[in-house]
Structure formats: structure tokens, C-alpha cells
Amino acid sequence: MPSVVPSPSLPLALTCGDPAGVGPEIIAAWLSANPAESARIVPIGPQRWLDSLGVNGIAVGSADFSIEPGKPSIAGAKIALDALEATTSGCREGKFSAAVTGPVSKTWMQKAGFTFPGQTEFFAARWGGQPTMAFAGGKLRVVLATWHIPLMDVARALDEPCLARAVTQAEHLARALGATNPRIGVCGLNPHAGEAGLLGTDERDRLDPWLDKLRQKFPGLSRCEPGDTVFWRALRGEFDVVVALYHDQGLAPLKTIDFDESVNITLGLPWVRTSPDHGTAFALAGQNKASWKSFGNAVALARVLIS
């Protein structure tokens, strides 16, 4: 547990992400469209970028570092990493209420000394807790049971505590976003959710019995439903949130429907962390074509989750 209790009155920390990507420009565009927000946030990134924003922030990296859009470098990735470190320590020290992080390149971050599969695992290591990856902000709300692991390892990773954690966080997310009696749809692992064992036995032998036990605590919880229709049913209002069992099962429909609006949320940690649900888009950087809508939703959702 944190020694400092998160307070909604504290500012949000905003990390620049990889400075060669679209992170710096979408933050600048969002601030330009929402100037009143400048008093409620602390951007963290290279000094020259902070100067261009005209907002007090925390500088990381060399003072003479210049952003070159679309040209990633180890120096830029190190700035992204330093911004994350400043954010996690700032939350622990009672400076920030939550973190909203810009997109980073995992490949370039690894070259700069980053040793985690993604930002989710980094924040869990720095803050403690059991992370769960979730998404909201658009039409769909999705919680993942597993995420940054190979597909061939998913069935083995899906044990009872893993599924229970995803369902628990799905219920928490649905309530935080206004559902009084959350309805949680759960994707099956196999085609047609196993078709009663004809197309796989995971649902029949393990997943559904675990869900039946969990339903005593979460009455709005489904059994395993076919993954090819459960998101359509959620869009029609049947479920408040969907639990997907692996990364692409949840992210493929989510990004198809909500690419410019959805937000990546890390649940289960002492502090809230959100992020726009898109990557660095190096090829688009510097053209001011990237939408800031997902980033704006990330800020809004962070405030909802800490309120």
C-alpha cells in the first residue's frame, strides 16, 4: 500500500512519451484546446518542449535536447523512461494524484535500458500491486485477463486467480463509470466458447465452473460466451464491460470501434495510470494530424477513477 494516499486535489502527471512520436504534439494540441487544464497538470519531458507549452513542468534529459519528429533515438527513449521514473516517484512522494502517459516504443525503450514488456508492468514494479489492463473511453469497455504473453501460453496462464482478478476489476471499472449492477460478459477461449466441449474443453472443464463460483459475488457475470459475438452484444447494451481472455481478442474489436477514443487503464495499483490507446505513430509525427481525443479521454478518465 502507498505511504501517501492519492488525493484528487493533486495535479495529474503527464509524460511526453517518446519525443519522436506524436505524444508531445497531442499533449500540446490538447492543452491548446483546453487552456484551463494547465493549472491541474504537470507535464514531464524535455526542457525545450516544456518551454513551448508555456506550462510549469518537470524537465528530464539534456537541456539542449531537440525533438526530431519521426526520428526515434536512444536519447529520446531515455527521456521517455526518465519521465516515467519521475512520474512514479512523484506519485509516491505525494506530488501527483495519478499518471497519464504518452505512447512509447517498446523496442526503443529496451535499447535505453527498459526491462519490462510494457508500461503496465513497469508501473506495477514501481508501485506494487497486481495490475490489470483495461480499456474504456469509447463505446466499449474491455478488461483483459492476460495481455503481453505469447498466444501459445494463454491457456496455461488462465488459472482461477487470473480470471477472478479480471472479473473483480471489470466490476470495479463498471461501477466507477456509473453501472449500479454491472453486467459482465466473458469471452470464451475457444471458437464458439468450446461448443460444449466439441471445439475445446477449457470452458466446460475450467472456466465456466470458476465463473459459476464467482457469480455468487458478481450476479451480473456471464458464463463463457462466443468471442465473435460478445462485443456486438455489448454494443447493443447487453453488457457494461467485457472480459477478454487475451490481448488481441479484446484489442482487435476495441480498436476497430474506438481507435481514436479508447483509453488504456492500469487497474489494481495504488495509483491510477491511463494512456491513449495508440502507439507512437512515428510516421505521422510532426504533421499535427494525430487526434488528441484519446489523450483527452485519458485525462478525463483518470479524474473519474480517482474521484
Side-chain angles (χ1 to χ4, degrees):
M1 295 300 292
S3 57
V4 177
V5 178
S7 170
S9 64
L10 295 170
L12 297 174
L14 309 184
T15 69
C16 61
D18 192 303
V22 297
E25 65 192 73
I26 62 174
I27 294 174
W30 171 78
L31 266 177
S32 178
N34 300 273
E37 291 283 1
S38 61
R40 306 174 66 197
I41 53 94
V42 177
I44 305 174
Q47 183 64 63
R48 291 180 177 177
W49 173 66
L50 296 177
D51 293 341
S52 72
L53 295 178
V55 177
N56 291 329
I58 297 175
V60 293
S62 172
D64 60 359
F65 178 87
S66 292
I67 291 176
E68 294 188 73
K71 297 182 179 180
S73 64
I74 293 176
K78 183 64 166 56
I79 283 176
L81 176 54
D82 289 347
L84 292 178
E85 294 285 11
T87 297
T88 54
S89 61
C91 285
R92 292 195 306 266
E93 294 163 6
K95 297 177 181 177
F96 311 129
S97 59
V100 181
T101 61
V104 301
S105 164
K106 298 179 182 67
T107 300
W108 281 97
M109 290 277 281
Q110 293 286 331
K111 296 177 182 179
F114 192 70
T115 59
F116 301 93
Q119 295 189 76
T120 299
E121 295 82 2
F122 168 84
F123 279 94
R126 293 296 182 267
W127 287 342
Q130 287 273 8
T132 296
M133 187 178 289
F135 301 85
K139 297 181 180 67
L140 290 172
R141 300 165 181 172
V142 178
V143 171
L144 302 184
T146 69
W147 47 93
H148 292 149
I149 61 173
L151 187 58
M152 65 183 296
D153 295 338
V154 168
R156 184 167 55 253
L158 278 170
D159 58 16
E160 190 170 5
C162 171
L163 186 62
R165 184 163 55 250
V167 168
T168 299
Q169 294 298 343
E171 200 259 359
H172 167 72
L173 179 63
R175 287 191 182 278
L177 298 181
T180 55
N181 297 294
R183 299 160 301 163
I184 305 169
V186 181
C187 295
L189 180 64
N190 297 297
H192 303 179
E195 197 77 62
L198 294 175
L199 302 177
T201 60
D202 301 270
E203 292 84 0
R204 183 194 66 192
D205 295 347
R206 302 188 303 133
L207 301 174
D208 278 336
W210 295 340
L211 292 171
D212 291 342
K213 287 196 292 183
L214 286 166
R215 199 170 299 108
Q216 299 173 33
K217 183 176 181 181
F218 307 108
L221 180 64
S222 78
R223 302 192 90 201
C224 285
E225 302 289 344
D228 58 356
T229 57
V230 70
F231 296 96
W232 175 79
R233 293 165 63 187
L235 284 172
R236 289 171 60 88
E238 189 172 342
F239 302 116
D240 298 300
V241 60
V242 174
V243 173
L245 301 186
Y246 55 93
H247 186 278
D248 286 11
Q249 184 181 54
L251 271 292
L254 180 90
K255 290 193 174 185
T256 299
I257 300 296
D258 292 330
F259 187 84
D260 283 333
E261 297 182 344
S262 192
V263 174
N264 184 330
I265 308 165
T266 304
L267 300 172
L269 304 185
W271 288 271
V272 169
R273 174 255 170 173
T274 65
S275 179
D277 184 30
H278 58 71
T280 54
F282 290 131
L284 196 63
Q287 302 176 49
N288 294 312
K289 293 180 179 179
S291 170
W292 55 260
K293 187 176 294 185
S294 179
F295 183 84
N297 287 346
V299 172
L301 268 176
R303 294 213 170 101
V304 168
L305 293 171
I306 62 177
S307 61

